Amino acid sequence: QCVPCPSREECPCLESNPCFAGVQCVNDPSADDGFLCLACPEGTEGNGRECDDIDECEVAGACFESCHNKEHGYECGSCPAGYAGETPSGRYVDKMDVG
């Protein structure tokens, strides 16, 4: 059942979203600051208040040779001489899926 917040002090998410852009703020009186930030967007990591881009190029096997990190994604360079194939790109590499 939804109930209105009694005051802005008790519901900090109403005043302004103290979480990282795109991260949902949840009023929680039991939390230290009275609110919780949910998970960072895909391709980033952090505590919900601060989210940093994941450098997918640091994940072993993301690309065959050259890798270019982009905001919330990556792009592989072309295949080296003597090799052929598609050069992948994407938004996020799960560290558990590679290698």
Side-chain angles (χ1 to χ4, degrees), residues 44-88:
T44 64
E45 59 187 357
N47 61 13
R49 283 189 188 192
E50 296 179 15
C51 300
D52 297 313
D53 181 54
I54 295 172
D55 185 350
E56 293 86 358
C57 295
E58 290 183 0
V59 177
C63 295
F64 182 80
E65 199 167 78
S66 66
C67 183
H68 308 286
N69 187 50
K70 300 174 134 192
E71 186 174 342
H72 309 300
Y74 69 100
E75 185 172 278
C76 296
S78 59
C79 294
Y83 291 83
E86 293 184 30
T87 55

Side-chain angles (χ1 to χ4, degrees):
Q1 177 179 343
C2 297
V3 294
C5 286
S7 68
R8 292 199 181 277
E9 291 78 33
E10 293 183 51
C11 299
C13 295
L14 289 177
E15 189 67 34
S16 65
N17 187 347
C19 302
F20 186 79
V23 174
Q24 185 177 353
C25 180
V26 178
N27 294 307
D28 183 351
S30 66
D32 290 338
D33 295 322
F35 67 92
L36 297 172
C37 296
L38 298 185
C40 290
E42 186 175 291
T44 64
E45 59 187 357
N47 61 13
R49 283 189 188 192
E50 296 179 15
C51 300
D52 297 313
D53 181 54
I54 295 172
D55 185 350
E56 293 86 358
C57 295
E58 290 183 0
V59 177
C63 295
F64 182 80
E65 199 167 78
S66 66
C67 183
H68 308 286
N69 187 50
K70 300 174 134 192
E71 186 174 342
H72 309 300
Y74 69 100
E75 185 172 278
C76 296
S78 59
C79 294
Y83 291 83
E86 293 184 30
T87 55
S89 63
R91 291 188 47 85
Y92 175 67
V93 174
D94 187 338
K95 294 176 185 176
M96 301 304 290
D97 289 343
V98 180

